[in-house]
């Protein structure tokens, strides 16, 4: 500035007069915090925010819900799951529907809780629904190791674990800049983000407070007009270049990469995590011979397009009418991290 004072993040944002920029908030928690803190109103009109695929429940495909229901109803297992998944519609109903048909469904707060449930209920076969990204996968690995140490024969997991870097590459044309999820990068470190910048994919790791988010937006708006791919870690109090080495080791010890289906994005090669063969006894698909499922989502639901930034939730014809948090038609309205739920809760327009 002419008076020699450094511009604040807010000054940079408010004085932006560069080219239009599409920023994808990969993480559902970012979507909610940006709404909750009123930051959308502060951003200049040149900024378009796109909600991305960073809500684990939202990207879990319909076929996974069908597999869980099959296990509960056809094999009589007890399903242990995070609460959000219970209301996600499968092809012909949700786990909540299956529960009314006699399925046993227990809500747990962690994979280790599910393992403890199995240890305390040896007369039941227990399957934990293992969804999530690098943030939750280490806990699933820990649960499997605990089950192995305790020689539990009534515990297994149904995996739909996913890894984010492959999704960034699959979505690179949907946005100009990624607002990388702080929680994922805290585990994985920022080296892969730096690698993506070298391939032309720009991004900024952001924290979750107003100050951290404003800083991240200011960095984007300062760097984007320069026209060169960039990366910046704006969450250094939590995220390092190396990430959490114990978490990474645990995943490498128990899981291995595999192709994975993402709701709306299709199969992304090597974007999933499944149990290594030496832990096959804890793999519910192998243990129970789960048949291939071809999930069908409600044709009215546009979750797939919402997750790619092709449309906003209010552009879905049933948003707020047939589809509400009390009566969700798609996963993005069920989950607290879902974009449709955020738009509904905070009254977001297009
Ligand atoms: Fe799917 Fe409901 Fe969102 Fe429409 S509003 S995309 S039906 S979750």
């Amino acid at each position: 500035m002419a008076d020699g004072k450094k511009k604040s993040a807010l000054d940079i944002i408010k004085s932006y007069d560069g080219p239009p920029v599409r920023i994808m908030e990969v993480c559902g928690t970012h979507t909610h915090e940006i709404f909750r803190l009123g930051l959308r109103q502060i951003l200049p009109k040149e900024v378009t925010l796109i909600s991305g695929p960073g809500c684990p429940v939202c990207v879990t495909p319909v076929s996974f819900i069908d597999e869980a229901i099959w296990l509960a109803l056809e094999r009589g297992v007890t399903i242990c799951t995070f609460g959000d998944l219970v209301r996600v519609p499968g092809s012909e109903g949700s786990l909540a529907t299956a529960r009314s048909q006699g399925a046993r469904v227990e809500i747990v707060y962690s994979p280790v809780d599910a393992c403890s449930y199995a240890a305390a209920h040896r007369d039941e076969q227990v399957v934990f629904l293992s969804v999530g990204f690098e943030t939750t996968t280490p806990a699933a690995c820990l649960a499997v190791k605990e089950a192995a140490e305790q020689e539990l024969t009534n515990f297994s997991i149904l995996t739909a674990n996913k890894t984010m870097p492959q999704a960034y590459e699959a979505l690179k044309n949907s946005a100009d800049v990624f607002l990388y999820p702080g929680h994922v990068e805290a585990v994985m470190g920022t080296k892969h983000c730096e690698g993506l910048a070298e391939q032309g994919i720009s991004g900024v790791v952001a924290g979750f407070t107003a100050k951290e988010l404003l800083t991240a937006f200011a960095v984007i708006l300062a760097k984007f007009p320069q026209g060169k791919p960039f990366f910046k870690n704006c969450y250094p109090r939590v995220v390092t270049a190396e990430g959490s080495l114990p978490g990474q080791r645990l995943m490498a010890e128990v899981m291995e990469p595999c192709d994975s289906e993402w709701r709306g994005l299709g199969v992304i090669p090597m974007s999933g995590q499944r149990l290594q063969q030496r832990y096959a006894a804890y793999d519910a698909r192998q243990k129970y011979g789960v048949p291939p499922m071809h999930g069908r989502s409600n044709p009215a639901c546009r979750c797939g397009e919402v997750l790619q930034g092709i449309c906003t939730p209010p552009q879905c014809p049933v948003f707020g009418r047939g589809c509400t948090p009390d009566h969700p038609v798609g996963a993005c309205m069920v989950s607290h991290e879902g974009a449709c739920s955020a738009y509904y809760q905070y009254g977001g327009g297009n």
Side-chain angles (χ1 to χ4, degrees):
M1 293 180 95
D3 59 6
K5 268 173 68 183
K6 207 175 152 207
K7 272 176 127 182
S8 70
L10 204 52
D11 291 336
I12 293 170
I13 292 168
K14 284 191 163 170
S15 62
Y16 184 73
D17 60 357
V21 51
R22 297 168 303 155
I23 302 173
M24 180 173 275
E25 330 121 19
V26 176
C27 170
T29 308
H30 276 155
T31 301
H32 275 254
E33 285 308 289
I34 290 166
F35 264 120
R36 193 181 69 77
L37 295 165
L39 301 186
R40 281 181 168 249
Q41 285 78 25
I42 294 170
L43 294 173
K45 63 179 184 337
E46 289 84 358
V47 171
T48 302
L49 288 179
I50 301 166
S51 303
C55 154
V57 169
C58 304
V59 295
T60 298
V62 173
S63 56
F64 181 81
I65 303 297
D66 293 347
E67 289 182 302
I69 291 173
W70 183 88
L71 281 166
L73 293 179
E74 301 298 326
R75 287 288 186 265
V77 310
T78 299
I79 297 290
C80 281
T81 176
F82 300 128
D84 278 357
L85 274 179
V86 174
R87 296 194 309 132
V88 174
S91 295
E92 289 167 13
S94 63
L95 280 163
T97 321
R99 200 187 237 163
S100 68
Q101 296 164 356
R104 274 198 302 263
V105 181
E106 295 287 330
I107 308 295
V108 292
Y109 296 98
S110 77
V112 174
D113 286 350
C115 181
S116 303
Y117 180 92
H121 299 81
R122 305 273 178 149
D123 55 332
E124 295 176 31
Q125 286 293 325
V126 176
V127 173
F128 173 69
L129 303 187
S130 183
V131 302
F133 303 114
E134 292 90 337
T135 39
T136 44
T137 301
C141 296
L142 204 57
V144 167
K145 283 189 72 173
E146 275 204 26
E149 273 162 30
Q150 293 181 45
E151 299 181 351
L152 290 182
T153 56
N154 65 332
F155 178 76
S156 57
I157 68 174
L158 186 69
T159 53
N161 300 79
K162 303 193 187 313
T163 47
M164 288 306 306
Q166 295 80 5
Y168 302 145
E169 290 189 40
L171 284 166
K172 64 183 173 192
N173 295 323
S174 299
D176 299 311
V177 185
F178 287 114
L179 199 63
Y180 290 126
H183 296 144
V184 167
E185 309 314 341
V187 177
M188 297 312 291
T190 58
K191 285 182 183 155
H192 68 273
C193 302
E194 288 162 31
L196 289 169
E198 282 162 20
Q199 294 172 43
I201 302 172
S202 295
V204 166
V205 181
F208 298 89
T209 66
K211 190 174 173 202
E212 286 164 344
L213 282 162
L214 285 173
T215 301
F217 284 125
V219 167
I220 291 171
L221 296 181
K223 288 188 176 289
F224 183 70
Q226 296 169 11
K228 285 193 216 135
F230 59 90
F231 167 71
K232 173 91 177 155
N233 177 9
C234 295
Y235 196 25
R237 72 185 172 91
V238 172
V239 175
T240 61
E242 288 74 29
S244 162
L245 297 179
Q248 293 169 27
R249 273 191 221 110
L250 200 49
M251 284 190 278
E253 188 188 335
V254 178
M255 299 270 195
E256 63 186 15
C258 63
D259 295 348
S260 183
E261 183 189 352
W262 296 56
R263 186 187 294 255
L265 308 183
V267 174
I268 302 180
M270 305 311 263
S271 67
Q273 292 275 294
R274 67 181 174 202
L275 287 171
Q276 291 176 15
Q277 199 53 34
R278 62 200 172 111
Y279 288 106
Y282 301 96
D283 181 335
R285 281 191 191 90
Q286 295 191 48
K287 183 172 178 179
Y288 297 104
V290 179
M293 303 277 172
H294 305 287
R296 296 177 314 279
S297 56
N298 187 314
C301 178
R302 297 184 69 186
C303 278
E305 290 158 83
V306 168
L307 291 165
Q308 296 173 78
I310 295 171
C311 79
T312 63
Q315 288 170 335
C316 171
V318 292
F319 174 81
R321 291 185 276 272
C323 183
T324 64
D326 286 340
H327 299 285
V329 173
C332 298
M333 189 62 91
V334 174
S335 170
H336 294 306
E337 291 185 41
C340 298
S341 150
Y343 272 76
Y344 187 87
Q345 190 176 341
Y346 298 104
N350 287 355

